Amino acid sequence: VVKPPSGPYNDSPQGIGYGATISAPHMHAHALEEIVTYLQASAKKSELSVLDVGCGSGYLTACLGRLLNGGDCESNRQQQTLRGKVYGIEYMKELVDFSIENTKIADIDLLSQGVVTYQVGDGWKGLPEKAPFTAIHVGAAADSFPQELMMQLDVGGVMVIPVGPDGGVQNLYKVERLRNGDQFQKEDFTFDNLLGVRYVPLVHLNQNT
């Protein structure tokens, strides 16, 4: 059962049901700081595209949406330099619905304007029909770098992802794509180890159906 966080104002991970958690707010802030530089560098594009894998409660997805759409008031429109769409995916429909309902509370305009959308998806496979992405955030730990997901990055794009075994040593990485290619080549990416972390594992959708 999806449940509200027990300590929503604590700077700590919060369980939301179905074995899922949302990261501590400081980790969301860290991810946003890593991503925003790449969004700004791509601001001249007509529309940016961001993927949030494991959207959980929808909190970070909405934050990413606000980076791309500051709101309807005149001051926000005048200051807005980034435009685009954010796609949040989760492996369970119940969590997708949870994200939608949470976003409706204070950010319903992001949904009504199509800036943010949510859907069921396999985090390992991403959302190839919406690729390439300027930025991809992964909110669960992959036990290895997900090549299929990495190939959905645009050149110059960035992925922020925790990598490591469940219950073992995990690290948060910043992965940048340097060049295009039809086949995955490790040399086409840079890997920057940011810090040690502890996340729940990134689930394969076909293991839970």
Side-chain angles (χ1 to χ4, degrees):
V1 177
V2 175
K3 59 181 182 180
S6 58
Y9 295 102
N10 295 339
D11 189 14
S12 61
Q14 300 290 322
I16 56 174
Y18 295 101
T21 65
I22 55 174
S23 300
H26 75 271
M27 288 305 303
H28 281 151
H30 192 103
L32 289 168
E33 286 183 343
E34 294 293 344
I35 288 172
V36 69
T37 300
Y38 290 84
L39 297 180
Q40 291 170 338
S42 301
K44 292 183 179 180
K45 294 183 178 180
S46 58
E47 187 170 270
L48 305 178
S49 189
V50 179
L51 177 64
D52 187 19
V53 174
C55 53
S57 68
Y59 179 86
L60 185 64
T61 319
C63 290
L64 290 164
R66 282 290 168 226
L67 286 178
L68 300 182
N69 187 321
D72 290 331
C73 69
E74 183 64 27
S75 61
N76 282 338
R77 286 197 297 268
Q78 291 175 352
Q79 297 175 23
Q80 188 67 35
T81 58
L82 301 175
R83 288 289 177 186
K85 296 184 182 299
V86 183
Y87 303 91
I89 62 174
E90 261 294 353
Y91 74 102
M92 295 191 71
K93 182 180 184 298
E94 291 84 354
L95 293 174
V96 170
D97 293 341
F98 186 49
S99 293
I100 292 171
E101 291 306 311
N102 282 332
T103 304
K104 286 180 178 178
I105 294 172
D107 298 290
I108 194 170
D109 61 299
L110 296 178
L111 297 174
S112 62
Q113 295 175 16
V115 176
V116 168
T117 59
Y118 298 100
Q119 66 186 77
V120 173
D122 185 336
W124 288 87
K125 297 180 179 180
L127 208 58
E129 64 270 24
K130 301 297 184 181
F133 298 104
T134 308
I136 299 175
H137 169 263
V138 183
D143 51 24
S144 61
F145 287 96
Q147 296 181 8
E148 190 171 349
L149 191 58
M150 291 166 63
M151 290 294 286
Q152 294 174 34
L153 273 176
D154 200 357
V155 172
V158 65
M159 175 188 293
V160 177
I161 179 172
V163 179
D166 185 21
V169 176
Q170 300 176 356
N171 291 285
L172 189 69
Y173 286 86
K174 179 173 67 174
V175 180
E176 183 178 355
R177 188 167 191 178
L178 302 177
R179 60 187 69 89
N180 269 323
D182 294 332
Q183 302 294 324
F184 177 84
Q185 299 288 336
K186 186 176 180 180
E187 296 76 18
D188 292 340
F189 300 85
T190 62
F191 302 80
D192 187 7
N193 187 338
L194 301 175
L195 72 160
V197 293
R198 180 63 60 88
Y199 278 73
V200 297
L202 181 62
V203 175
H204 291 271
L205 183 59
N206 58 12
Q207 293 179 351
N208 290 270
T209 56

